[in-house]
Amino acid sequence: MMLPILWMVLANAASFLGAWAILSRIRTNRESLDVLLLILIRLALISATILAAGLLGFMTSTGLGIVATIVLTLLLAAGIRPDRESFRWPACGGPAAVFTAVVSLRLLLQAWFFAPYAGDTLCYHLPKVAEWTRAGAITWETGANWRSAFPAGFELVELWWVVFLHHDAIIEMAGLEFLALSFSAMYVLAREFQLGERTSYAAALLFTMTPGIHLQATSCFNDGPTAALWVAAAALVIARAPLSLVILPVGMGLGVKPTYGYALPGLILLWFLWRRPKPSSLTPSRWLVFLCLLGLFLGGFWYGRNAVRFGNPLHPMGSQGMFNPQGRMIQQAGPSLRSLMENARRLIDSRIHDPALLTANLDFSSGWGIGLFALGLPAMLMMGADDPRFRRLSAGFSLSLASVLLLVYSDPWFARFVLFFAAFPALSAAALMEKMRPVRILAGASLVFLFFQGTMPADMPWEGFRSMVCQPWVKRQVPLLPPVLRGNEPVLCLPSARMPYLLYGPDFSRRVLYARPENAADLKSIMDRENVRVVYSQPDPILDEGVKSGWLARGWGHFYERR
Amino acid sequence: MEMPSPASTNNLSEPLRHEIGIPRLPILPVGISLVLLAWRLSWYPRSSLYRDWVAILSVYWILAVVLRGSRERTLLTAIAMVGLFLIYAAGYLPQLLDHLRLTFL
C-alpha cells in the first residue's frame, strides 16, 4: 500500500505544481483571484489527466504515478517553485479561523469514515467509477441504468482519488475539492464587491456552510460541484476576467452536469452587465487559449461521446424529454411555464423552510439552510435597495434561477439544480454585516446551527454511520451484500438494479456484468456463457419467468440465484 | 411652514426632500411589497400569517425603505432576521436534535 500512497502524493504534487506553472503565466496579482484560478486550473488538469489516461489505457496507480514523477521532475528542473509569499490566509479573525479549522477537521473525518451511501450515486453515478477503475481505462461500459450515460466530469475527479489506492476510502475528497472551490469563488466575489477580508471570509463561510452544498460535498453527488463551478464563473465575470478564462469553469460545469447549461442565461447577463470599463489585469496569452480549449474539451467530450454512441449528444434526454424504462417522464425537454410556476410555488411555500430533515439528495428541501433564510433574504432586499451593484447582481442570479426553474420538471429534488443561487444571499448577508453590527451576531448563531445541519445527512442514520466507523477501512461500505455471494464471484446486474456500485466492494474486487436480456431464455444463456450464478435486480417479469421455469430461485433481497 | 403638495414633491431634489423631512418612497419596492402582501393575504391562513416569510419580508421591505438612513432600520433588520431565524429553527430544530440524538436538550 505504501507505493500507491507515494504515487498519489507525487501526482498531487505534480498537479499542484503544474497548475502553479500555468498560473504564473497568467497571474492577476490579485491574491484571492489567483487562489481561485489555482484551484480551478488544478481541477481542470487532474480531470484532463484522468480523461487522457483513461482513453489511452494507463489509468492505473503505477501508470499515473510514473507520468506524475516525470512531470514533477521536469517542472522542478525548469525551476518552477511555489511562491509562498504570494498567498496568505485572509485576516478572518480568531473565531472564524477556529470555526474553519473545526469544520475542516469534521469534513476530513467525514471523508474518511463515510463510504458512498446516497441512492442515486450508488445507482448510476459511481458504477462507472468502479468499472473504469477496474479496467484502468475509460471504456464504453458505464453501467446498465438508463441514466448512466450522463456526463461524468465530476467522476473524473473522483477517479483521481480512487485510482491510486484502487479503493474508494477517500473518494469524498473530490467533493471537498469542489467545496474549496466554492469557498474561494465566494471569497473572490465578495472581494470584488469591495468587502473587507473579514466579511468576505464570512460570505465564503456562509455559502460553503449552506447545507445543500455542504452535504453534497461528502456524498459523491455532483450538484454541489456544479454550483461551485457556476459561482466560480460568476466570480471571474465580476472580476472582469477574459472570456477565454470564464469558459474554463463553464466548460467544466457542462461536463459535470447538463443542468449547468440551464443556468447560463444569468451568467451571460452578468458578463454583459460587468463587461465595461475596467480593463482586465490579465494579459492575453496562449495559456488563456489553452485553458479555454481545455474547458471546452472537458465539457464537450461527454456530449461528443453520446453523439457517437447514441446518436444524440444529450442522451438520455430526447426531444420529448427524459423517460424511465416504465415510460414515466423524469425530466422535461425545453421550457415549461407550468414547471416554472410549480417550482417557484414549491420553493416559496415549502422547500425554502427545509421542512424535511436534509438529505444529501435534498428531498423536498431547498438545502439553503437557516443562514440564507434568516439573514440572506432580508439582506438581499436591503442591499438591493441601497447598492446598484447588488441590483445588477440580483438580475443575473435571478435570471439563472428562473431559467432553471423554467427548464426542470417539478420533482421532489429540483432545488438541487439551483444551489448556486445561495451565493447571492450569502454575499448580501456579509455585505450587511459591514453596515450593521447585530447581523454579525446572528451570522455567528447561524453558522453554529449550520454546522450541526451539515453534520449528519438524514439518509445516513446513526446506526449506519456507527456500522461504517466500526468496519476496518479496507472493508468499509454500506452493508448490502448478502450471504448468497461466495467470495468475489461475479454478479450479473439488470438495468433496474438499485445499488450496483456496492457489488464491486470498496476495493473493486468483484466483477460486475451488466446485461439487458430480451427474455428469460436470453438471460439464462448470458448467465451460462459468462459463468455467473447470481443476478441482482429489482423484481422483473424476466426474472419471474426464470423462477417459474425453475432454473432461477429468489434469494436474499434483490438477489436471484441460478439453480 | 407650508408643506408642498404631493404632486410637487416629485420634482424636489434629494437634499431638499431631506431638509423638509419628506422620505423618498421608491415606487417599485413598495409596489412589489404591497402586491406580495396582498397575494399572501388573499390565500394564506390569517392565523399563520405571522410566520409567513413572504409577508414578513414584504412588511420589512416597506419599512426598510421608509426608514432609509435612520438608526431604526438596523433594529428593524435585526428583528426581521431574528423572527425568520426562529421560524426556521422552530420547524427544523426538533428534527435535527432527534436525528443527532440530542433529544436530552
PDB file of all heavy atoms in Angstrom, chain A residues 348-349 354-355 357-358 374 382 385-386 453 456-457 462-463, chain B residues 40 43 53 60 68 73 77 81 84-85 88 92 95 99-101:
ATOM      1  N   ILE A 348     -41.112  28.647  -2.706  1.00  0.00           N
ATOM      2  CA  ILE A 348     -41.527  29.735  -1.798  1.00  0.00           C
ATOM      3  C   ILE A 348     -42.308  29.193  -0.601  1.00  0.00           C
ATOM      4  O   ILE A 348     -42.063  29.586   0.542  1.00  0.00           O
ATOM      5  CB  ILE A 348     -42.392  30.756  -2.572  1.00  0.00           C
ATOM      6  CG1 ILE A 348     -41.525  31.524  -3.569  1.00  0.00           C
ATOM      7  CG2 ILE A 348     -43.102  31.714  -1.624  1.00  0.00           C
ATOM      8  CD1 ILE A 348     -42.308  32.347  -4.556  1.00  0.00           C
ATOM      9  N   ASP A 349     -43.229  28.292  -0.870  1.00  0.00           N
ATOM     10  CA  ASP A 349     -44.144  27.880   0.198  1.00  0.00           C
ATOM     11  C   ASP A 349     -43.623  26.753   1.064  1.00  0.00           C
ATOM     12  O   ASP A 349     -44.094  26.548   2.179  1.00  0.00           O
ATOM     13  CB  ASP A 349     -45.494  27.467  -0.406  1.00  0.00           C
ATOM     14  CG  ASP A 349     -46.288  28.689  -0.834  1.00  0.00           C
ATOM     15  OD1 ASP A 349     -45.990  29.774  -0.325  1.00  0.00           O
ATOM     16  OD2 ASP A 349     -47.188  28.561  -1.687  1.00  0.00           O
ATOM     17  N   ASP A 354     -36.914  24.122   4.335  1.00  0.00           N
ATOM     18  CA  ASP A 354     -36.318  22.805   4.565  1.00  0.00           C
ATOM     19  C   ASP A 354     -37.215  22.007   5.520  1.00  0.00           C
ATOM     20  O   ASP A 354     -36.791  21.642   6.637  1.00  0.00           O
ATOM     21  CB  ASP A 354     -34.896  22.928   5.130  1.00  0.00           C
ATOM     22  CG  ASP A 354     -33.947  23.585   4.140  1.00  0.00           C
ATOM     23  OD1 ASP A 354     -34.138  23.404   2.936  1.00  0.00           O
ATOM     24  OD2 ASP A 354     -33.030  24.292   4.564  1.00  0.00           O
ATOM     25  N   PRO A 355     -38.446  21.724   5.086  1.00  0.00           N
ATOM     26  CA  PRO A 355     -39.399  21.098   6.011  1.00  0.00           C
ATOM     27  C   PRO A 355     -39.015  19.672   6.411  1.00  0.00           C
ATOM     28  O   PRO A 355     -39.369  19.222   7.492  1.00  0.00           O
ATOM     29  CB  PRO A 355     -40.710  21.096   5.224  1.00  0.00           C
ATOM     30  CG  PRO A 355     -40.307  21.175   3.794  1.00  0.00           C
ATOM     31  CD  PRO A 355     -39.033  21.954   3.760  1.00  0.00           C
ATOM     32  N   LEU A 357     -36.031  16.768   7.153  1.00  0.00           N
ATOM     33  CA  LEU A 357     -34.631  16.686   7.569  1.00  0.00           C
ATOM     34  C   LEU A 357     -33.766  16.526   6.318  1.00  0.00           C
ATOM     35  O   LEU A 357     -34.093  15.733   5.433  1.00  0.00           O
ATOM     36  CB  LEU A 357     -34.471  15.488   8.498  1.00  0.00           C
ATOM     37  CG  LEU A 357     -33.292  15.491   9.445  1.00  0.00           C
ATOM     38  CD1 LEU A 357     -33.287  16.697  10.361  1.00  0.00           C
ATOM     39  CD2 LEU A 357     -33.301  14.223  10.278  1.00  0.00           C
ATOM     40  N   LEU A 358     -32.680  17.268   6.248  1.00  0.00           N
ATOM     41  CA  LEU A 358     -31.944  17.353   4.986  1.00  0.00           C
ATOM     42  C   LEU A 358     -31.181  16.071   4.649  1.00  0.00           C
ATOM     43  O   LEU A 358     -30.396  15.563   5.463  1.00  0.00           O
ATOM     44  CB  LEU A 358     -30.966  18.516   5.040  1.00  0.00           C
ATOM     45  CG  LEU A 358     -31.613  19.899   4.953  1.00  0.00           C
ATOM     46  CD1 LEU A 358     -30.607  20.986   5.266  1.00  0.00           C
ATOM     47  CD2 LEU A 358     -32.223  20.118   3.578  1.00  0.00           C
ATOM     48  N   ALA A 374     -32.728  33.220   7.158  1.00  0.00           N
ATOM     49  CA  ALA A 374     -32.907  34.264   8.171  1.00  0.00           C
ATOM     50  C   ALA A 374     -32.121  35.533   7.859  1.00  0.00           C
ATOM     51  O   ALA A 374     -32.614  36.636   8.051  1.00  0.00           O
ATOM     52  CB  ALA A 374     -32.496  33.717   9.542  1.00  0.00           C
ATOM     53  N   MET A 382     -32.311  44.537   1.379  1.00  0.00           N
ATOM     54  CA  MET A 382     -31.640  45.732   1.888  1.00  0.00           C
ATOM     55  C   MET A 382     -30.516  46.166   0.946  1.00  0.00           C
ATOM     56  O   MET A 382     -30.419  47.334   0.574  1.00  0.00           O
ATOM     57  CB  MET A 382     -31.071  45.423   3.277  1.00  0.00           C
ATOM     58  CG  MET A 382     -30.486  46.595   3.973  1.00  0.00           C
ATOM     59  SD  MET A 382     -31.739  47.731   4.515  1.00  0.00           S
ATOM     60  CE  MET A 382     -31.994  47.153   6.176  1.00  0.00           C
ATOM     61  N   ALA A 385     -31.764  47.452  -2.323  1.00  0.00           N
ATOM     62  CA  ALA A 385     -32.329  48.801  -2.258  1.00  0.00           C
ATOM     63  C   ALA A 385     -31.235  49.857  -2.202  1.00  0.00           C
ATOM     64  O   ALA A 385     -31.402  50.954  -2.734  1.00  0.00           O
ATOM     65  CB  ALA A 385     -33.233  48.912  -1.029  1.00  0.00           C
ATOM     66  N   ASP A 386     -30.112  49.501  -1.571  1.00  0.00           N
ATOM     67  CA  ASP A 386     -29.093  50.520  -1.307  1.00  0.00           C
ATOM     68  C   ASP A 386     -27.981  50.602  -2.346  1.00  0.00           C
ATOM     69  O   ASP A 386     -27.336  51.629  -2.477  1.00  0.00           O
ATOM     70  CB  ASP A 386     -28.432  50.239   0.057  1.00  0.00           C
ATOM     71  CG  ASP A 386     -29.381  50.549   1.199  1.00  0.00           C
ATOM     72  OD1 ASP A 386     -30.483  51.039   0.916  1.00  0.00           O
ATOM     73  OD2 ASP A 386     -29.023  50.292   2.361  1.00  0.00           O
ATOM     74  N   GLN A 453     -26.418  21.304  11.085  1.00  0.00           N
ATOM     75  CA  GLN A 453     -27.229  20.892   9.938  1.00  0.00           C
ATOM     76  C   GLN A 453     -26.416  20.060   8.943  1.00  0.00           C
ATOM     77  O   GLN A 453     -26.949  19.172   8.295  1.00  0.00           O
ATOM     78  CB  GLN A 453     -27.776  22.129   9.204  1.00  0.00           C
ATOM     79  CG  GLN A 453     -29.165  22.540   9.650  1.00  0.00           C
ATOM     80  CD  GLN A 453     -29.800  23.529   8.690  1.00  0.00           C
ATOM     81  OE1 GLN A 453     -29.220  24.561   8.397  1.00  0.00           O
ATOM     82  NE2 GLN A 453     -30.989  23.230   8.227  1.00  0.00           N
ATOM     83  N   MET A 456     -24.692  15.455   9.816  1.00  0.00           N
ATOM     84  CA  MET A 456     -25.118  14.086   9.503  1.00  0.00           C
ATOM     85  C   MET A 456     -26.345  14.130   8.591  1.00  0.00           C
ATOM     86  O   MET A 456     -27.421  14.532   9.022  1.00  0.00           O
ATOM     87  CB  MET A 456     -25.466  13.368  10.811  1.00  0.00           C
ATOM     88  CG  MET A 456     -25.565  11.862  10.693  1.00  0.00           C
ATOM     89  SD  MET A 456     -24.034  11.071  10.210  1.00  0.00           S
ATOM     90  CE  MET A 456     -23.089  11.297  11.701  1.00  0.00           C
ATOM     91  N   PRO A 457     -26.188  13.731   7.336  1.00  0.00           N
ATOM     92  CA  PRO A 457     -27.353  13.765   6.442  1.00  0.00           C
ATOM     93  C   PRO A 457     -28.435  12.807   6.921  1.00  0.00           C
ATOM     94  O   PRO A 457     -28.138  11.785   7.560  1.00  0.00           O
ATOM     95  CB  PRO A 457     -26.773  13.311   5.100  1.00  0.00           C
ATOM     96  CG  PRO A 457     -25.513  12.620   5.430  1.00  0.00           C
ATOM     97  CD  PRO A 457     -24.991  13.212   6.694  1.00  0.00           C
ATOM     98  N   TRP A 462     -27.739   7.201  12.392  1.00  0.00           N
ATOM     99  CA  TRP A 462     -26.609   6.960  13.300  1.00  0.00           C
ATOM    100  C   TRP A 462     -26.146   5.506  13.244  1.00  0.00           C
ATOM    101  O   TRP A 462     -24.962   5.215  13.312  1.00  0.00           O
ATOM    102  CB  TRP A 462     -26.995   7.320  14.738  1.00  0.00           C
ATOM    103  CG  TRP A 462     -26.673   8.741  15.062  1.00  0.00           C
ATOM    104  CD1 TRP A 462     -27.541   9.759  15.235  1.00  0.00           C
ATOM    105  CD2 TRP A 462     -25.362   9.315  15.234  1.00  0.00           C
ATOM    106  NE1 TRP A 462     -26.878  10.931  15.494  1.00  0.00           N
ATOM    107  CE2 TRP A 462     -25.536  10.689  15.509  1.00  0.00           C
ATOM    108  CE3 TRP A 462     -24.072   8.803  15.183  1.00  0.00           C
ATOM    109  CZ2 TRP A 462     -24.464  11.551  15.721  1.00  0.00           C
ATOM    110  CZ3 TRP A 462     -23.003   9.670  15.403  1.00  0.00           C
ATOM    111  CH2 TRP A 462     -23.211  11.018  15.671  1.00  0.00           C
ATOM    112  N   GLU A 463     -27.139   4.608  13.128  1.00  0.00           N
ATOM    113  CA  GLU A 463     -26.771   3.183  13.123  1.00  0.00           C
ATOM    114  C   GLU A 463     -25.865   2.879  11.926  1.00  0.00           C
ATOM    115  O   GLU A 463     -24.876   2.148  12.028  1.00  0.00           O
ATOM    116  CB  GLU A 463     -28.026   2.293  13.055  1.00  0.00           C
ATOM    117  CG  GLU A 463     -28.888   2.315  14.300  1.00  0.00           C
ATOM    118  CD  GLU A 463     -29.662   3.613  14.489  1.00  0.00           C
ATOM    119  OE1 GLU A 463     -29.839   4.354  13.495  1.00  0.00           O
ATOM    120  OE2 GLU A 463     -30.068   3.901  15.627  1.00  0.00           O
TER     121      GLU A 463
ATOM    122  N   ARG B  40     -50.351  37.207  -0.400  1.00  0.00           N
ATOM    123  CA  ARG B  40     -50.346  36.322   0.762  1.00  0.00           C
ATOM    124  C   ARG B  40     -51.632  36.468   1.576  1.00  0.00           C
ATOM    125  O   ARG B  40     -52.181  35.475   2.067  1.00  0.00           O
ATOM    126  CB  ARG B  40     -49.141  36.616   1.668  1.00  0.00           C
ATOM    127  CG  ARG B  40     -47.813  36.409   1.007  1.00  0.00           C
ATOM    128  CD  ARG B  40     -47.693  35.095   0.309  1.00  0.00           C
ATOM    129  NE  ARG B  40     -47.101  34.040   1.110  1.00  0.00           N
ATOM    130  CZ  ARG B  40     -46.748  32.844   0.632  1.00  0.00           C
ATOM    131  NH1 ARG B  40     -46.951  32.551  -0.640  1.00  0.00           N
ATOM    132  NH2 ARG B  40     -46.226  31.932   1.412  1.00  0.00           N
ATOM    133  N   TRP B  43     -54.748  34.377   0.307  1.00  0.00           N
ATOM    134  CA  TRP B  43     -54.971  32.931   0.431  1.00  0.00           C
ATOM    135  C   TRP B  43     -54.304  32.289   1.639  1.00  0.00           C
ATOM    136  O   TRP B  43     -54.676  31.205   2.052  1.00  0.00           O
ATOM    137  CB  TRP B  43     -54.511  32.212  -0.848  1.00  0.00           C
ATOM    138  CG  TRP B  43     -53.020  32.117  -0.984  1.00  0.00           C
ATOM    139  CD1 TRP B  43     -52.212  33.062  -1.513  1.00  0.00           C
ATOM    140  CD2 TRP B  43     -52.175  31.042  -0.560  1.00  0.00           C
ATOM    141  NE1 TRP B  43     -50.910  32.670  -1.444  1.00  0.00           N
ATOM    142  CE2 TRP B  43     -50.848  31.413  -0.879  1.00  0.00           C
ATOM    143  CE3 TRP B  43     -52.392  29.809   0.064  1.00  0.00           C
ATOM    144  CZ2 TRP B  43     -49.766  30.607  -0.601  1.00  0.00           C
ATOM    145  CZ3 TRP B  43     -51.303  28.998   0.338  1.00  0.00           C
ATOM    146  CH2 TRP B  43     -50.019  29.394  -0.001  1.00  0.00           C
ATOM    147  N   TRP B  53     -42.897  33.861   5.723  1.00  0.00           N
ATOM    148  CA  TRP B  53     -41.710  34.669   5.442  1.00  0.00           C
ATOM    149  C   TRP B  53     -41.963  35.696   4.345  1.00  0.00           C
ATOM    150  O   TRP B  53     -41.363  36.780   4.354  1.00  0.00           O
ATOM    151  CB  TRP B  53     -40.513  33.782   5.103  1.00  0.00           C
ATOM    152  CG  TRP B  53     -40.581  33.065   3.776  1.00  0.00           C
ATOM    153  CD1 TRP B  53     -41.150  31.847   3.532  1.00  0.00           C
ATOM    154  CD2 TRP B  53     -40.059  33.520   2.528  1.00  0.00           C
ATOM    155  NE1 TRP B  53     -41.002  31.521   2.208  1.00  0.00           N
ATOM    156  CE2 TRP B  53     -40.335  32.526   1.563  1.00  0.00           C
ATOM    157  CE3 TRP B  53     -39.379  34.659   2.122  1.00  0.00           C
ATOM    158  CZ2 TRP B  53     -39.970  32.643   0.231  1.00  0.00           C
ATOM    159  CZ3 TRP B  53     -39.005  34.781   0.797  1.00  0.00           C
ATOM    160  CH2 TRP B  53     -39.302  33.784  -0.137  1.00  0.00           C
ATOM    161  N   TYR B  60     -41.286  44.127   5.988  1.00  0.00           N
ATOM    162  CA  TYR B  60     -39.916  44.584   6.266  1.00  0.00           C
ATOM    163  C   TYR B  60     -39.406  45.504   5.154  1.00  0.00           C
ATOM    164  O   TYR B  60     -38.801  46.552   5.412  1.00  0.00           O
ATOM    165  CB  TYR B  60     -39.001  43.360   6.412  1.00  0.00           C
ATOM    166  CG  TYR B  60     -37.533  43.705   6.362  1.00  0.00           C
ATOM    167  CD1 TYR B  60     -36.907  44.326   7.441  1.00  0.00           C
ATOM    168  CD2 TYR B  60     -36.775  43.426   5.223  1.00  0.00           C
ATOM    169  CE1 TYR B  60     -35.564  44.655   7.381  1.00  0.00           C
ATOM    170  CE2 TYR B  60     -35.438  43.753   5.160  1.00  0.00           C
ATOM    171  CZ  TYR B  60     -34.839  44.366   6.237  1.00  0.00           C
ATOM    172  OH  TYR B  60     -33.505  44.701   6.178  1.00  0.00           O
ATOM    173  N   ARG B  68     -35.130  54.476   5.579  1.00  0.00           N
ATOM    174  CA  ARG B  68     -33.812  54.579   4.964  1.00  0.00           C
ATOM    175  C   ARG B  68     -32.998  55.698   5.632  1.00  0.00           C
ATOM    176  O   ARG B  68     -33.470  56.812   5.821  1.00  0.00           O
ATOM    177  CB  ARG B  68     -33.990  54.898   3.488  1.00  0.00           C
ATOM    178  CG  ARG B  68     -32.739  54.800   2.690  1.00  0.00           C
ATOM    179  CD  ARG B  68     -33.078  55.045   1.235  1.00  0.00           C
ATOM    180  NE  ARG B  68     -32.087  54.426   0.388  1.00  0.00           N
ATOM    181  CZ  ARG B  68     -32.260  54.152  -0.875  1.00  0.00           C
ATOM    182  NH1 ARG B  68     -33.411  54.409  -1.447  1.00  0.00           N
ATOM    183  NH2 ARG B  68     -31.306  53.612  -1.585  1.00  0.00           N
ATOM    184  N   ARG B  73     -33.586  51.463  11.308  1.00  0.00           N
ATOM    185  CA  ARG B  73     -33.513  50.455  10.248  1.00  0.00           C
ATOM    186  C   ARG B  73     -32.703  49.238  10.705  1.00  0.00           C
ATOM    187  O   ARG B  73     -33.030  48.100  10.371  1.00  0.00           O
ATOM    188  CB  ARG B  73     -32.870  51.078   9.021  1.00  0.00           C
ATOM    189  CG  ARG B  73     -33.270  50.425   7.721  1.00  0.00           C
ATOM    190  CD  ARG B  73     -32.456  51.037   6.614  1.00  0.00           C
ATOM    191  NE  ARG B  73     -32.953  50.667   5.299  1.00  0.00           N
ATOM    192  CZ  ARG B  73     -32.224  50.747   4.207  1.00  0.00           C
ATOM    193  NH1 ARG B  73     -31.005  51.199   4.249  1.00  0.00           N
ATOM    194  NH2 ARG B  73     -32.727  50.385   3.055  1.00  0.00           N
ATOM    195  N   THR B  77     -34.108  45.509  10.942  1.00  0.00           N
ATOM    196  CA  THR B  77     -33.453  44.381  10.257  1.00  0.00           C
ATOM    197  C   THR B  77     -33.166  43.257  11.254  1.00  0.00           C
ATOM    198  O   THR B  77     -33.399  42.075  10.956  1.00  0.00           O
ATOM    199  CB  THR B  77     -32.144  44.857   9.597  1.00  0.00           C
ATOM    200  OG1 THR B  77     -32.455  45.914   8.695  1.00  0.00           O
ATOM    201  CG2 THR B  77     -31.466  43.736   8.835  1.00  0.00           C
ATOM    202  N   MET B  81     -34.655  39.517  11.066  1.00  0.00           N
ATOM    203  CA  MET B  81     -33.761  38.351  10.970  1.00  0.00           C
ATOM    204  C   MET B  81     -33.984  37.384  12.132  1.00  0.00           C
ATOM    205  O   MET B  81     -34.007  36.164  11.931  1.00  0.00           O
ATOM    206  CB  MET B  81     -32.306  38.819  10.932  1.00  0.00           C
ATOM    207  CG  MET B  81     -31.927  39.446   9.600  1.00  0.00           C
ATOM    208  SD  MET B  81     -30.217  40.000   9.566  1.00  0.00           S
ATOM    209  CE  MET B  81     -30.022  40.380   7.827  1.00  0.00           C
ATOM    210  N   LEU B  84     -37.194  35.485  11.440  1.00  0.00           N
ATOM    211  CA  LEU B  84     -37.018  34.427  10.438  1.00  0.00           C
ATOM    212  C   LEU B  84     -36.184  33.276  10.996  1.00  0.00           C
ATOM    213  O   LEU B  84     -36.445  32.101  10.719  1.00  0.00           O
ATOM    214  CB  LEU B  84     -36.360  35.005   9.180  1.00  0.00           C
ATOM    215  CG  LEU B  84     -37.226  35.967   8.360  1.00  0.00           C
ATOM    216  CD1 LEU B  84     -36.401  36.645   7.267  1.00  0.00           C
ATOM    217  CD2 LEU B  84     -38.407  35.229   7.726  1.00  0.00           C
ATOM    218  N   PHE B  85     -35.182  33.626  11.795  1.00  0.00           N
ATOM    219  CA  PHE B  85     -34.340  32.606  12.427  1.00  0.00           C
ATOM    220  C   PHE B  85     -35.210  31.678  13.284  1.00  0.00           C
ATOM    221  O   PHE B  85     -35.102  30.444  13.217  1.00  0.00           O
ATOM    222  CB  PHE B  85     -33.273  33.300  13.285  1.00  0.00           C
ATOM    223  CG  PHE B  85     -32.195  32.385  13.796  1.00  0.00           C
ATOM    224  CD1 PHE B  85     -30.969  32.304  13.155  1.00  0.00           C
ATOM    225  CD2 PHE B  85     -32.397  31.602  14.927  1.00  0.00           C
ATOM    226  CE1 PHE B  85     -29.966  31.459  13.627  1.00  0.00           C
ATOM    227  CE2 PHE B  85     -31.406  30.757  15.408  1.00  0.00           C
ATOM    228  CZ  PHE B  85     -30.188  30.686  14.764  1.00  0.00           C
ATOM    229  N   TYR B  88     -37.554  29.418  11.162  1.00  0.00           N
ATOM    230  CA  TYR B  88     -36.839  28.287  10.565  1.00  0.00           C
ATOM    231  C   TYR B  88     -36.470  27.265  11.642  1.00  0.00           C
ATOM    232  O   TYR B  88     -36.703  26.064  11.486  1.00  0.00           O
ATOM    233  CB  TYR B  88     -35.583  28.785   9.854  1.00  0.00           C
ATOM    234  CG  TYR B  88     -34.843  27.705   9.091  1.00  0.00           C
ATOM    235  CD1 TYR B  88     -35.011  27.568   7.714  1.00  0.00           C
ATOM    236  CD2 TYR B  88     -33.990  26.817   9.737  1.00  0.00           C
ATOM    237  CE1 TYR B  88     -34.336  26.583   7.010  1.00  0.00           C
ATOM    238  CE2 TYR B  88     -33.318  25.824   9.044  1.00  0.00           C
ATOM    239  CZ  TYR B  88     -33.490  25.716   7.676  1.00  0.00           C
ATOM    240  OH  TYR B  88     -32.833  24.729   6.983  1.00  0.00           O
ATOM    241  N   TYR B  92     -37.206  23.232  12.113  1.00  0.00           N
ATOM    242  CA  TYR B  92     -36.127  22.291  11.801  1.00  0.00           C
ATOM    243  C   TYR B  92     -35.438  21.705  13.031  1.00  0.00           C
ATOM    244  O   TYR B  92     -35.024  20.539  13.030  1.00  0.00           O
ATOM    245  CB  TYR B  92     -35.083  22.997  10.928  1.00  0.00           C
ATOM    246  CG  TYR B  92     -34.183  22.027  10.206  1.00  0.00           C
ATOM    247  CD1 TYR B  92     -34.562  21.470   8.992  1.00  0.00           C
ATOM    248  CD2 TYR B  92     -32.967  21.626  10.754  1.00  0.00           C
ATOM    249  CE1 TYR B  92     -33.754  20.554   8.340  1.00  0.00           C
ATOM    250  CE2 TYR B  92     -32.152  20.711  10.105  1.00  0.00           C
ATOM    251  CZ  TYR B  92     -32.554  20.188   8.899  1.00  0.00           C
ATOM    252  OH  TYR B  92     -31.761  19.274   8.258  1.00  0.00           O
ATOM    253  N   GLN B  95     -36.383  18.211  14.619  1.00  0.00           N
ATOM    254  CA  GLN B  95     -35.954  17.073  13.781  1.00  0.00           C
ATOM    255  C   GLN B  95     -34.451  16.873  13.879  1.00  0.00           C
ATOM    256  O   GLN B  95     -33.954  15.753  13.951  1.00  0.00           O
ATOM    257  CB  GLN B  95     -36.278  17.343  12.313  1.00  0.00           C
ATOM    258  CG  GLN B  95     -37.725  17.607  11.983  1.00  0.00           C
ATOM    259  CD  GLN B  95     -37.865  17.862  10.492  1.00  0.00           C
ATOM    260  OE1 GLN B  95     -37.781  16.933   9.695  1.00  0.00           O
ATOM    261  NE2 GLN B  95     -38.077  19.105  10.105  1.00  0.00           N
ATOM    262  N   HIS B  99     -32.449  13.668  15.174  1.00  0.00           N
ATOM    263  CA  HIS B  99     -31.549  12.938  14.272  1.00  0.00           C
ATOM    264  C   HIS B  99     -30.148  12.814  14.864  1.00  0.00           C
ATOM    265  O   HIS B  99     -29.486  11.776  14.720  1.00  0.00           O
ATOM    266  CB  HIS B  99     -31.498  13.671  12.933  1.00  0.00           C
ATOM    267  CG  HIS B  99     -30.646  12.989  11.905  1.00  0.00           C
ATOM    268  ND1 HIS B  99     -30.897  11.705  11.476  1.00  0.00           N
ATOM    269  CD2 HIS B  99     -29.550  13.407  11.218  1.00  0.00           C
ATOM    270  CE1 HIS B  99     -29.986  11.356  10.566  1.00  0.00           C
ATOM    271  NE2 HIS B  99     -29.165  12.367  10.401  1.00  0.00           N
ATOM    272  N   LEU B 100     -29.706  13.872  15.525  1.00  0.00           N
ATOM    273  CA  LEU B 100     -28.362  13.843  16.107  1.00  0.00           C
ATOM    274  C   LEU B 100     -28.351  13.210  17.496  1.00  0.00           C
ATOM    275  O   LEU B 100     -27.334  13.249  18.193  1.00  0.00           O
ATOM    276  CB  LEU B 100     -27.786  15.263  16.180  1.00  0.00           C
ATOM    277  CG  LEU B 100     -27.547  15.963  14.833  1.00  0.00           C
ATOM    278  CD1 LEU B 100     -27.035  17.380  15.042  1.00  0.00           C
ATOM    279  CD2 LEU B 100     -26.560  15.182  13.977  1.00  0.00           C
ATOM    280  N   ARG B 101     -29.492  12.650  17.872  1.00  0.00           N
ATOM    281  CA  ARG B 101     -29.622  12.006  19.189  1.00  0.00           C
ATOM    282  C   ARG B 101     -29.320  12.990  20.319  1.00  0.00           C
ATOM    283  O   ARG B 101     -28.636  12.657  21.286  1.00  0.00           O
ATOM    284  CB  ARG B 101     -28.676  10.797  19.303  1.00  0.00           C
ATOM    285  CG  ARG B 101     -28.934   9.736  18.272  1.00  0.00           C
ATOM    286  CD  ARG B 101     -30.190   8.968  18.620  1.00  0.00           C
ATOM    287  NE  ARG B 101     -30.585   8.054  17.592  1.00  0.00           N
ATOM    288  CZ  ARG B 101     -30.149   6.806  17.479  1.00  0.00           C
ATOM    289  NH1 ARG B 101     -29.298   6.346  18.342  1.00  0.00           N
ATOM    290  NH2 ARG B 101     -30.581   6.036  16.517  1.00  0.00           N
TER     291      ARG B 101
END
